[in-house]
Structure formats: C-alpha cells, structure tokens
Amino acid sequence: MNKKHTLKNMLMLMVAAVLVFTAACSSGSKNTDKQEGGSNAETVKLTQDDKGWEVDKSPITFDWYINFSWFPNKWGVDSTSKYITEKTGVNINFIVPAGNEAEKMNTMMASGSLPDFITLGWYEDAVKKMIEGDLVLPLNELADKYDPYFYKVTDPAKLSWYKQENGNVYGYPNSSSSPKDYEKFGDNIASSQTFLVRKDMYEALGKPDMRTPEGFLKALDDAKKMFPNVNGQPLIPLGMYDFNDTGNAALQHYIQNFLAIPYEKDGQLYDRNTDPEYVKWLKTMRQANENGLLAKDIFIDKRPQMEEKIAQGRYFAMLYARTDLANQQNALFANDPESIYIAVDGPANANLDQPTLAGPSISGWTVTLISKDVKDKARAIRFLDYLISEEGQHDLFFGKQGETWDNIDGKDQFLPEALELMNKDRGAFDKKYGASHTFWMMMDTNLTPIWSPPAVEPFKQLEDWTFGKTVSLSEFDQINPTGTSPEGIKNTKIDQEFGKVLPKLLLSKSEADFDKVWNDFLKKRDSLGFKEVQAYKQKKYEENVAKLNGAAE
C-alpha cells in the first residue's frame, strides 16, 4: 500500500509539473529557450513593447570597429559609458585603424572575419562588399528572432531606405533625417558645411567680400601680406580637407553646394563636375596656387596635422565642417576670443545665389552593421536597439543623472560644472563625462536640438549661419554603383582618376595646361564608362524619388 501510494503521488506530481510547463509555454509570456551563437545563449519570446536588453544584463564585451582613424575615445573611461555598462552589462572594445581606413577594411574583409559591430560611412564601398560577401547579418532577421523592440524604436522610412533587393536590412544610420523629420524638425536642422575665416584677420582686412573669384583671391593675398606669420610659423591662406584616392571633399561637394550647382534638371541627373561655375572656381584655385596662396601643406596633410594647425590658428580661410573643429575652436577661444573662426559667405556663383548646403539626409552619416561572427546575436541586436531607442539616446546624450545632468526647473539639463567644461574644453569633457554624443555611432540628430542647451560662442554663430541655407539631398544618396558590378568597377576607376587629376589641375602652371589636363580627364572618363555609370545613377535616383514619395505619405 505504501509503495502504491508513493507511486501514485509521484505520478500526480509529474502530471502537475507537465501541466504547469505546458501552460507556461502556451501563455505567450516570456519563456526561455536555448539559442545558438551566444555566450549567454538564452532568448525569450518578446513583443515590440518589451525592452529586450533588460532580459540579460550579464557582463559581455563586444568588439566595435570604427572606420575613422581620428576617433580618439575609449569606452569605460568616462562616467557615461561606465553608466551604460552598469545598466546593460555591455562593455565595448573599440577598434580604430591606425592608418588608411580603406586598407584596414579590405584586410578585415579578406580575412573573412569581422569584429562584432562595424561602423563606417554609408558611402563606403565596403558596405556593399560586406553585404555581398555574407559577412554581416540582416538586422530584421535578428529582430524577428531575438528582439521585436527593434521595430518600435527604428524609423520605418529608414528601414525602407536601407532595404536590399533580398528584402533584408543590414545597417542602421546615425545623423539621419527622413522626409517626416524635415517636416517635424526642419526649422532646427542645420548644416555642418561652412566657409570659415579667422575672425580677427578677416575684420582687420575690412570684412572683404569673398564670393567672387576676384574678391576671394584678393582676400587670400591681403591676408598673407598682412599676416605672413602666426606665432612664428607661416600663415596658410586657405585650408581644406585632405586629398585622398578620389579627390577632396572641400573641392567637390562642399564648393559645389556653395555655388548652388543643381543635382538635377527636369528630372535628369546633372553633371555637376562639368558645370561652368564649378570649372571656373577650380581655375580660381589654380590661380591661387600660381599666386603662392596654396601652401604645400594642404596637399599632404591629413586630419591630425590639420587639427594641430587649426588649433594654432594658422589658416586664414577654410572650406570645412564647423563640427569638425569644435575642440580647436574651444582652444582658440580660451586663448583669444578674437582668434576664433567664424562663418561667412564664401565662393558663390555668378548670380551670387544663396548656397544649398547639405543637411542630414535619410542616409545619415554612418551605418552600423552586425558581423556574422558576432559573439552573441541576441545581446548584439538588443544592445543596438537600446542605443537607437529614445532611452538610449537620452543616456548617451546626458549621461548619468546626478553626475552630468539633472531635472532642473522641469527640464533635463546638464549640471553647471559639466556644461562649463563642455563649452570650455570638449576633449576634456569627453574623457570625464563622455556625454553629448561622445559616442556618436547611433546618434539621432533630430533629438539633439530638443535636449541641447542653447548654443553659445564660439559655436553659435557658426550654426546660426547655416539656418535657412540647409536642404535635404536624400534623393541623391546611394545612387553611385558600388561593389564588383560592372558599373561599380567603372565608377571606382572614374573616381580614382579624378583623385589623380584634381591636384594636377590646381598645380597646373597655366590655364592652358589646366584645360589640357581637364579635357584629357573628360576623354578618359568617357572611355572608362561614364555613360553607363550615369545611366545606373539615373535609375537609382528615380527609385529614390519613388521611395521618398512613399515614405512621405
């Protein structure tokens, strides 16, 4: 009897356990299953309203590759990144190329193994190559399996924009503005593109008009004569971005936007590079070199050398992004408020039309992808979703409450000591606090103006100058053929040919020599397949217009 009674009790307990387990599995609540590919290999059945990152906060370190050699920051040094690691369990090991970014990317791709996360410009050929080579994972598939919260925090228009022909999305952008963002935030959208002059020198010259070739050359010449040296070193009359394999950003998109050269006419892509106004200004740059106004430095310096010279105030004028000299501007302001750089009207077309400066586009600035070799798929997509979410954005922007910010007068604001350091020494602020998007990989620039304290000098004038001149150029993004397609190979060769020709144009000894180099390039461009490339771009442009029209509805 006792044995039978015991057996009966055991059977009843087993049945009860099975019933409980079955009920739990069928309830749709958060249940735990084993998954492949993770150090903490657990996932849960979540809804779009569930924050997946809260499920597992055990310690994990991801390797995150940033394809910008100038990126200086380390995770875990400042209070913000320490706070996020404490909150999520995620630590980051940043990997930054020591030299040429393209070479580093090519080496990593050739190895077939990539770090967990990869952030690079959306315009980089490597994006397409990683997707074509199955080196990165579809974010939508990761979201479907591990974290539906992805669909709550991402913008459908941006997902549609980055959707590939196979229906998958592999990267998500930062600094991206969709058509609806422009409708909602348009008045607060600024451009980073500026023509800068050193304030004290410009005012000493009588604030010359530099919009025409004649006025431009005269101002550079007058500056060189009046200020031949800066603290014992030669003045550099004109600064610009570094020359690379495909040209120079300042002498391509920047100056073309200042000249208000259209991207299309009557629905057909316009060849901006052969626009008479653009060619005229390239010849103006050639004349500047002949007049001794282009220092040799600009042909060889990379960004670290440029930043050092900006901090020394050695440039008189610059075609440069205002956001790229924040640290140097602060140093100049601290030393002498009159030695800072200010934005003024720069090169213009013959009609002196207002510039059409690039604002944030739907493509954004960079995209972030997750490698097929990621050590934990679930944790990776959940951490990415946290960073994209408004909560994550708030944490990255403000840092830890009580250390960097607090709610003051009903509004979240930086504490006075943090704000003072940010305005005084951005580099020191980054190292101590790490807030205000020190870690900009998933930065949402539509939220930033809402949270940001009012701009102060020496930055306010630079930002204010761009308002009203900023336009969305989204429909012209991602129209260049990339990868190993026939058009992609042709486009790469054409771009690299222009990269070789551009410095030759500026260094030409006469206008006749310039014309010969230029005409030879146009012939070479045609022989490399320019018409086929343009046809490809036209098709992509028309697809973009249709995409954006759909997103705006």
Side-chain angles (χ1 to χ4, degrees), residues 11 19 48 226-227 255 303 315 392 424 447 480 524 535:
L11 287 170
L19 289 172
Q48 290 189 21
M226 186 177 289
F227 306 98
I255 197 167
R303 184 155 167 174
Y315 298 102
K424 181 181 178 183
L447 291 172
N480 291 337
K524 182 73 176 288

Side-chain angles (χ1 to χ4, degrees), residues 222-332:
D222 289 347
K224 185 178 180 181
K225 288 175 179 174
M226 186 177 289
F227 306 98
N229 295 294
V230 178
N231 296 325
Q233 300 184 82
L235 176 78
I236 304 172
L238 179 66
M240 59 186 72
Y241 280 100
D242 56 301
F243 285 82
N244 55 45
D245 293 344
T246 59
N248 185 305
L251 294 177
Q252 290 169 271
H253 309 298
Y254 269 59
I255 197 167
Q256 288 174 351
N257 290 347
F258 269 86
L259 301 177
I261 297 173
Y263 282 77
E264 60 84 27
K265 290 185 176 182
D266 300 322
Q268 294 296 307
L269 286 179
Y270 182 60
D271 183 8
R272 300 179 95 208
N273 282 356
T274 57
D275 184 272
E277 293 285 349
Y278 178 55
V279 176
K280 179 176 74 175
W281 273 92
L282 285 183
K283 289 185 174 182
T284 301
M285 296 296 174
R286 187 214 68 80
Q287 188 64 53
N289 184 64
E290 184 180 328
N291 296 354
L293 302 173
L294 295 188
K296 291 180 181 178
D297 308 53
I298 69 171
F299 293 100
I300 56 176
D301 282 351
K302 297 299 180 184
R303 184 155 167 174
Q305 291 78 39
M306 294 172 61
E307 289 179 347
E308 182 180 348
K309 290 169 183 176
I310 294 170
Q312 295 166 348
R314 287 186 60 192
Y315 298 102
F316 164 62
M318 299 185 74
L319 269 165
Y320 205 70
R322 62 182 177 84
T323 49
D324 284 348
L325 48 65
N327 290 345
Q328 296 77 38
Q329 181 85 326
N330 256 330
L332 291 169

Side-chain angles (χ1 to χ4, degrees), residues 25 30 48 85 115 124 127 154 156 171 193 201 216 256 284 424 443 462 464 522 549:
C25 289
K30 303 171 186 178
Q48 290 189 21
T85 294
E124 297 285 354
V127 176
T154 53
Q193 296 180 340
M201 295 181 183
F216 182 83
Q256 288 174 351
T284 301
K424 181 181 178 183
M443 171 175 64
L462 302 179
D464 288 350
L522 295 180
N549 287 339

Side-chain angles (χ1 to χ4, degrees), residues 435-446:
S436 188
H437 291 307
T438 295
F439 304 101
W440 41 257
M441 298 84 71
M442 304 312 302
M443 171 175 64
D444 187 339
T445 46
N446 297 305

Side-chain angles (χ1 to χ4, degrees), residues 396-448:
L396 284 166
F397 186 78
F398 279 113
K400 186 175 184 178
Q401 186 170 10
E403 289 191 23
T404 319
W405 70 281
D406 214 331
N407 190 280
I408 305 169
D409 298 327
K411 181 181 179 181
D412 293 350
Q413 300 182 50
F414 284 112
L415 295 172
E417 57 269 27
L419 184 60
E420 181 182 3
L421 184 59
M422 180 168 65
N423 289 331
K424 181 181 178 183
D425 188 337
R426 179 65 206 222
F429 173 88
D430 289 349
K431 286 181 174 60
K432 182 174 182 179
Y433 295 112
S436 188
H437 291 307
T438 295
F439 304 101
W440 41 257
M441 298 84 71
M442 304 312 302
M443 171 175 64
D444 187 339
T445 46
N446 297 305
L447 291 172
T448 303

